[in-house]
Amino acid sequence: MEEYRRELEVHCYRMLGSVHEAEDLVQETYLKAWRARDGFDGRSSVRTWLYRIATNACLDALKARPRRALPVDLGPGEPEHWLEPIPDAVLDAAGPEAAAVAREGVELAFLAALQHLPPRQRAVLILRDVLDWSAAETATLLEMTVPAVNSALQRAKARVPAAGPAVGPATAAEHEVARRYADAFQRADIPAMVSLLAQDARAAMPPWRSWYQGKDAIEASLREGRPGLGAIRVRCTGANRRPAVVAHVRLEGSSEWQPFAVSVLWIAGGLITDMVAFHDPAVVAVFERAPA
């Protein structure tokens, strides 16, 4: 069963929007599968059986907590429960079949839109449109009728844009823009950072609810916040098939590097159009332990 672990993690991540919760739910899935192994009758594949256990575990987990969001998608009065990025290294770490499964439905905008769906509709949309399961297979897994699956899929599609085609790795040119931005951030070169922003760029910094629209607003934020951070160490990587930058900070008078943020960048025409900097040590830790 171990060969399915990575794709199950990605499946649970799509359902939950959290790498940490996905890891926990896959552990729970394997524990339940081990305990129920004598009851596996072979009428479905081991993969389908594991997906059934994992999906039901996710549905149970979603009953107990509010939806996750990005600051730009957060409505008034909503709880601050943030969507998390996933390292590209995790998406690529499994075998060819699992890697193919992990190429679709991992854009943060699509995952944020999924959060607006009721859990069962979310599961139907992922199974049918992302994993390309048939209506009959989906109905069996979720213990629904085929008409109910088709109805749930139709309602889900009315609220969520299509996952789109499989997304390949970011281009070398996009990674070069990210590298230049990271280098400027490390050197506290605000003009160089600003020069890489599109005029209507947006920036968000969870866990803060506020976000910034426009090059001038982002520049003002950078000038206020960057100089006081002290020494910065950066590493360029990828997250959700976009360029990303992992940053650690060493405060003045300290000899230790502390986790600071993982910034995911969207780049078009050689300029950064969107940026989400996740200021969460736990998110940084996920990228530090991701497979090389």
Side-chain angles (χ1 to χ4, degrees):
M1 298 190 295
E2 190 63 25
E3 64 180 294
Y4 303 111
R5 179 180 292 274
R6 193 64 72 187
E7 65 175 285
L8 286 170
E9 284 184 10
V10 177
H11 175 60
C12 292
Y13 170 69
R14 290 191 187 100
M15 286 287 296
L16 302 167
S18 165
V19 179
H20 299 92
E21 290 185 26
E23 291 173 344
D24 290 344
L25 264 293
V26 171
Q27 287 294 104
E28 182 180 326
T29 294
Y30 274 74
L31 181 60
K32 287 181 176 180
W34 175 255
R35 289 172 174 168
R37 65 192 184 280
D38 291 340
F40 177 63
D41 56 15
R43 285 184 292 180
S44 65
S45 68
V46 172
R47 180 173 181 259
T48 299
W49 182 56
L50 290 172
Y51 265 91
R52 180 184 298 116
I53 297 171
T55 302
N56 285 322
C58 289
L59 291 173
D60 288 342
L62 288 169
K63 295 176 184 176
R65 66 146 173 84
R67 73 177 182 90
R68 292 182 176 270
L70 295 172
V72 294
D73 301 312
L74 198 64
E78 288 194 71
E80 299 174 8
H81 216 66
W82 303 113
L83 198 66
E84 295 176 0
I86 188 170
D88 281 358
V90 171
L91 300 177
D92 295 332
E97 181 179 356
V101 168
R103 275 198 293 271
E104 298 188 48
V106 293
E107 281 280 0
L108 279 170
F110 173 68
L111 294 169
L114 283 180
Q115 302 295 304
H116 292 275
L117 295 177
R120 194 161 288 268
Q121 284 186 29
R122 190 184 311 181
V124 168
L125 184 64
I126 291 171
L127 291 167
R128 295 282 284 115
D129 268 22
V130 179
L131 298 177
D132 202 27
W133 288 37
S134 70
E137 289 172 322
T138 302
T140 298
L141 186 145
L142 294 174
E143 297 182 347
M144 300 169 64
T145 65
V146 170
V149 165
N150 291 333
S151 176
L153 180 61
Q154 186 176 11
R155 293 196 303 273
K157 284 184 172 182
R159 298 181 63 183
V160 173
V167 179
T171 66
E174 290 173 327
H175 278 294
E176 174 59 19
V177 172
R179 186 200 64 77
R180 289 165 57 199
Y181 184 85
D183 178 67
F185 181 60
Q186 183 168 273
R187 294 183 287 105
D189 187 343
I190 306 297
M193 296 170 69
V194 173
S195 71
L196 295 170
L197 299 175
Q199 195 62 43
D200 58 349
R202 297 188 307 177
M205 298 179 291
W208 296 285
R209 292 176 62 98
S210 58
W211 52 281
Y212 302 89
Q213 176 78 54
K215 189 173 184 176
D216 293 342
I218 298 173
E219 179 178 3
S221 172
L222 290 171
R223 292 191 179 280
E224 179 182 0
R226 173 60 186 91
L229 290 178
I232 293 285
R233 183 179 68 192
V234 298
R235 177 174 65 85
C236 293
T237 184
N240 298 78
R241 302 305 184 192
R242 299 295 95 212
V245 179
V246 180
H248 287 73
V249 62
R250 188 180 65 201
L251 300 176
E252 186 174 351
S254 174
S255 61
E256 294 186 2
W257 291 97
Q258 302 292 334
F260 180 65
V262 174
S263 299
V264 184
L265 310 177
W266 287 258
I267 297 166
L271 295 174
I272 298 168
T273 60
D274 282 90
M275 175 171 48
V276 182
F278 296 86
H279 291 266
D280 184 345
V283 170
V284 177
V286 168
F287 280 76
E288 290 302 300
R289 68 172 185 266

